[in-house]
């Protein structure tokens, strides 16, 4: 793929292609304790753990709660026709269960109404990592009852917004939040170990299918998807050991959640006994049907490829990543390898699954250390990143992959989880002291790209 060959335009993707920009409640809204909102696990984690860089807290973030009108005008000004945002469960149900917070319900009505007024199509994500803290106190995603709690939350959202919003995303990156939050403990709620991870995988996979069923039954003409992070997994060498190690990581990172959704149950592989344990969770296939849902679209989110070598010292997976820094490859300031070919390869690979009807790229983007100078952010590296990755999407689309849309991550710099506010992924620069927004050159680049 030609590097920085900018000779494509939005037109090449066809006139019905959906161009969107995405964000998430915990990363953008702020107003963490305003108008009746309960705490989320990220509010609690930011208070109690030292794992977030700079001790940053999502309390105010981009203050989207108060500035949504201006921010949606920016979405419009950049030429995007889709706005993907998530609903904070704890804003709707401060305790996760129990009584509904009317002010929370009304906030999202205002956001949706504003989108509609501006001619922007809203895409709602039901869960983007911010479980109500009160539920976490009862075990959160490890608790068998979480499916009941989640289903009620979904029902409330469907009943409140279903007549206005037709596009629904059930979960954001289930592998991301289950592995980081419940196996490695680096993300909220900071739990570790298989005794947490295994039940969480199962409850989350169930939530994905059951949540979708609720939307299907309550929202006429709904267009329903869910999103998966995906990475091309590259063996470090052609030694069989490295190839097998890469395969195990591929199962975890790319296959774990999509296969049950497609009705295949959890992945099977004789030599990987982690999976046997997971199958026990699935009570020997008892749940296979309940884990399935016929999604209208699958959201793929891509950031980087992963190179893997065999490593006996790492329990369970016996594999470790060979970091980009040690291989002298291009990378973002997150340390993530930049390789648009891998994006193309993983899209093609996922498309081979039977049962996927349509794909939307629901996230793709990059953090670079931007500099705001005299009102300008000249983020050429980010523009280059988008150009390369859009070419990968176009190539796959032209070869027959049914890709219906591309949503950039993200509208504006926001709370990047444990990286705090310094890992800037936005098309718009945010001064977190003053809340001043400055459109970066990548934002203008998108505007021009979309205006053709
Ligand atoms: C995926 C997550 O959905 C999003 O919340 C996060 O900010 C981006 N990756 C970048 O790390």
């Amino acid at each position: 793929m030609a590097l920085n060959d900018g000779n494509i335009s939005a037109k090449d993707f066809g006139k019905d292609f959906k161009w969107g920009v995405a964000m998430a409640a915990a990363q953008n809204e702020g107003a963490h304790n305003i108008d009746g909102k309960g705490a989320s696990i990220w509010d609690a984690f930011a208070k109690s753990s030292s794992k977030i860089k700079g001790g940053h807290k999502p309390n105010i973030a981009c203050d989207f709660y108060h500035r949504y009108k201006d921010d949606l005008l920016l979405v419009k000004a950049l030429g995007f026709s889709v706005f993907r945002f998530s609903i904070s469960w704890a804003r709707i149900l401060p305790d996760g269960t129990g009584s509904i917070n009317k002010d929370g319900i009304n906030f999202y009505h205002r956001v949706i109404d504003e989108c509609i007024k501006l001619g922007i199509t809203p895409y709602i994500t039901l869960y983007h990592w911010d479980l109500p803290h009160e539920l976490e106190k009862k075990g959160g995603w490890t608790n068998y009852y979480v499916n009941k709690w989640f289903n009620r939350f979904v029902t409330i959202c469907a009943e409140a917004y279903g007549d206005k919003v037709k596009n629904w995303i059930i979960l954001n990156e289930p592998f991301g939040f289950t592995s980081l939050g419940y196996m490695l403990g680096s993300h909220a709620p900071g739990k570790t170990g298989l005794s947490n991870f295994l039940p969480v995988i199962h409850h989350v996979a169930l939530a994905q299918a059951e949540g979708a069923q609720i939307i299907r039954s309550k929202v006429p003409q709904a267009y329903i998807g869910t999103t998966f992070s995906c990475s091309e997994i590259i063996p470090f060498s052609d030694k069989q050991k490295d190839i097998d190690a890469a395969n195990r990581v591929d199962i975890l990172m790319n296959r774990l959640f999509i296969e049950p959704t497609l009705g295949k149950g959890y992945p099977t592989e004789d030599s990987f006994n982690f999976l046997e344990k997971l199958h026990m969770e699935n009570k020997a296939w008892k749940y296979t049907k309940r884990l399935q849902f016929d999604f209208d679209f699958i959201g793929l989110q891509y950031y980087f490829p992963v190179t893997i070598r065999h490593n006996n010292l790492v329990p369970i997976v016996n594999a470790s990543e060979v970091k980009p820094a040690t291989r002298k490859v291009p990378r973002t300031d997150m340390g993530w390898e930049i390789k648009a070919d891998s994006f193309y390869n993983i899209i093609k690979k996922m498309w081979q699954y039977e049962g996927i009807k349509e794909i939307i790229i629901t996230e793709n983007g990059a953090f670079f250390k931007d500099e705001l100078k005299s009102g300008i952010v000249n983020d050429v590296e980010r523009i280059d990143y988008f150009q390369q990755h859009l070419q990968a999407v176009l190539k796959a689309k032209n070869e027959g992959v049914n890709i219906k849309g591309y949503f950039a991550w993200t509208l504006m710099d926001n709370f990047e989880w444990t990286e705090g506010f310094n890992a800037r992924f936005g098309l718009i620069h945010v001064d977190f002291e003053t809340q001043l927004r400055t459109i970066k050159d990548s934002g203008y680049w998108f505007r021009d790209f979309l205006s053709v």
Side-chain angles (χ1 to χ4, degrees), residues 216-227:
R216 180 68 85 228
S217 70
K218 301 237 163 235
V219 182
Q221 280 107 43
Y223 180 57
I224 308 173
T226 195
T227 74

Side-chain angles (χ1 to χ4, degrees), residues 27 128-129 172-173 301 303 336 363 409 416-417 425:
Q27 296 180 271
H128 201 130
W129 303 5
N172 182 70
E173 294 193 355
Q301 319 206 140
Y303 289 89
W336 294 346
E363 276 187 32
W409 185 265
E416 177 55 28
W417 311 115
F425 279 79

